[in-house]
Amino acid sequence: MCGIVGILIKDPDLEAELGALLVPMLEALAERGPDSTGLAIYRQEGQPVEIVKDVGSAPDVCRRYDIASRTGYQGIGHTRMATESAVTARHCHPFSPAPELCVVHNGSFSNHATVRRRLEADGVVFDTDNDSEVAARFIGFRLAAGDDLEEAMRWVQKEFDGFFTLLVTTATQFAVVRDPFACKPATVAETDRYVAVASEYRALAGLPGVDGAAVFEPAPGELYTWSR
Amino acid sequence: MESLTAVHPVTLDCEALSVREINRVLRALPDGSEVRLVAPRGRHNLAVGIEHPLSITIDGNAGYFIGGLGGSRTGGPSITVDGFVGWSVGENLMGGTIRIRGSASQSAGASACGGTIVVEGDASLRAGISLKGGTVAVAGDAGAMSGFMAQAGTILIGGNAGAGLGDSLYEAVIYVAGRIDSLGADARVEELTEDDVDAVKSLVAQTGFDHIAPGDVTRVGSARQLYHFRSEHHGAY
């Protein structure tokens, strides 16, 4: 399983509520990933991204780090049900292979070891043996090589085999992509105040004005990006 | 739980009760009761496993497995969702009707043995996967791999069908009013008989999908080439 959430705020008045919006989103997906919880908070452009990740359920971790008080223009989060590597804070999502780049993943990659060996041969250094970190490092590697985010994500679709919904953020962009078989869920809700993504609609159901939002599921294999 | 006296209509608040409590109350209500579930807010498993005839309205968007395992060979509840639903609406349905006023996510009507799942919007991937005798009717489009391995029953698609329609189909029949992106392995377009037109006519009457012209649909069935081991393929094993 695992749950992913993200929100890009368009209306500056909502920025003061970023943490308060993210907490119920994550808590709604606590069942999808009870092992550990992580978030990335984009407070202000030019300021470092704050990453909080720890072992524990979403309500526990959000309380422990007082996530509800956070402000900012963009945030992503992850609730983890570990399937292929250890349950430690280091193994939690988001993975941030470069300043301002954060990745959360629901799914599993079957060829991550192959991609990891190639990246290691190119000098990329890993923190963990987590398969999602390989995707994050791969995107970081492509961006460092000069790709824009859309190009980097197309490379992910070309190189990686497996099940995935990936949510990727930079200081100015917010992207979501699902594998061609749509094995893992995703729902988007967009209003003129925000665009939000979650594994399941119930994580979006409490957002302000969601009843008037455009709600849709990203089509399989299609890349969706939003820019600030 | 003791049996409840029918009060029409019964309103249950999904914010105040757990899903388990709601389903327990539904099970205890007498035949013919009318129930409204308010504030579903994407909750999963609402009205699952309800075998007797109730009229249930879910007042908003709901989550996964809505109405699953419901009904029996002799009938079942009539469930209406005033919104959209998540994955696997009516999974393993045995009888009764589930009507979705909005769209349905993946695997609508998966493995349904009986009953009817009516989707007034679109259905996502794998609608009617492994259907075992139920009916899945979609007014709009159905996503890729719909009807995958469907064994028995009927799928009606009022719009377009995505890629790989009816892959590895057994004896279920699929009718498509719009375009078919591609057929899956062992699925083929078959001649539309008068019986087919009658079957679609009665489905149109039942669902209210009157944008569908029963004489103009495409019938997709199994070519039955994957059914049996063939001696000339011996070398492949």
Side-chain angles (χ1 to χ4, degrees), chain A residues 178 181-182 200-202 217, chain B residues 44 61 87 105-106 126:
Chain A
R178 300 170 76 194
F181 291 98
E200 299 175 19
Y201 170 75
R202 60 185 170 146
E217 296 187 319
Chain B
H44 302 330
N61 303 317
W87 287 27
S105 184
Q106 298 186 25
R126 294 179 272 275

Side-chain angles (χ1 to χ4, degrees), chain B residues 30-81:
Chain B
D31 285 6
S33 301
E34 286 175 33
V35 198
R36 181 168 284 271
L37 307 185
V38 298
R41 292 165 62 112
R43 274 177 182 74
H44 302 330
N45 305 323
L46 292 168
V48 158
I50 309 302
E51 290 186 21
H52 61 301
L54 298 178
S55 175
I56 302 168
T57 301
I58 299 178
D59 201 4
N61 303 317
Y64 293 6
F65 305 114
I66 300 306
L69 296 162
S72 67
R73 295 272 174 221
T74 55
S78 165
I79 301 171
T80 302
V81 182

Side-chain angles (χ1 to χ4, degrees), chain B:
Chain B
M1 175 180 273
E2 75 225 57
S3 154
L4 300 176
T5 318
V7 181
H8 299 278
V10 179
T11 297
L12 301 175
D13 185 351
C14 301
E15 301 274 55
L17 298 168
S18 71
V19 169
R20 198 162 280 193
E21 286 167 333
I22 287 168
N23 288 338
R24 232 179 251 149
V25 172
L26 293 177
R27 251 167 242 141
L29 284 170
D31 285 6
S33 301
E34 286 175 33
V35 198
R36 181 168 284 271
L37 307 185
V38 298
R41 292 165 62 112
R43 274 177 182 74
H44 302 330
N45 305 323
L46 292 168
V48 158
I50 309 302
E51 290 186 21
H52 61 301
L54 298 178
S55 175
I56 302 168
T57 301
I58 299 178
D59 201 4
N61 303 317
Y64 293 6
F65 305 114
I66 300 306
L69 296 162
S72 67
R73 295 272 174 221
T74 55
S78 165
I79 301 171
T80 302
V81 182
D82 255 327
F84 55 75
V85 292
W87 287 27
S88 300
V89 60
E91 184 178 77
N92 230 37
L93 192 71
M94 302 300 288
T97 304
I98 305 175
R99 179 177 283 270
I100 314 303
R101 298 268 185 222
S103 290
S105 184
Q106 298 186 25
S107 307
S111 298
C113 293
T116 306
I117 294 116
V118 180
V119 180
E120 294 190 359
D122 299 322
S124 184
L125 289 82
R126 294 179 272 275
I129 182 172
S130 197
L131 196 67
K132 291 179 169 70
T135 300
V136 176
V138 182
D141 300 337
M145 291 172 277
S146 288
F148 179 57
M149 292 188 84
Q151 291 130 62
T154 309
I155 301 173
L156 172 65
I157 300 169
N160 302 322
L165 180 70
D167 193 291
S168 309
L169 199 61
Y170 291 83
E171 292 303 301
V173 175
I174 307 173
Y175 301 110
V176 185
R179 189 189 70 237
I180 298 170
D181 280 353
S182 66
L183 292 171
D186 212 30
R188 67 176 183 193
V189 171
E190 296 176 337
E191 197 185 327
L192 196 69
T193 65
E194 274 179 35
D195 286 350
D196 290 317
V197 176
D198 287 344
V200 176
K201 263 184 199 158
S202 88
L203 279 174
V204 165
Q206 187 189 348
T207 57
F209 295 169
D210 47 19
H211 63 291
I212 298 172
D216 289 342
V217 300
T218 304
R219 178 192 154 104
V220 174
S222 174
R224 298 174 182 156
Q225 295 305 298
L226 295 176
Y227 270 40
H228 307 293
F229 176 76
R230 292 160 71 93
S231 58
E232 66 260 37
H233 294 155
H234 186 267
Y237 303 92

Side-chain angles (χ1 to χ4, degrees), chain A residues 17-51:
Chain A
E17 295 169 44
L18 179 69
L21 295 173
L22 274 171
V23 169
M25 290 174 77
L26 269 173
E27 287 182 346
L29 301 184
E31 290 165 14
R32 291 188 66 95
D35 299 344
S36 10
T37 306
L39 298 107
I41 306 276
Y42 291 72
R43 291 177 286 196
Q44 220 175 348
E45 263 187 76
Q47 273 192 22
V49 179
E50 182 190 15
I51 295 175

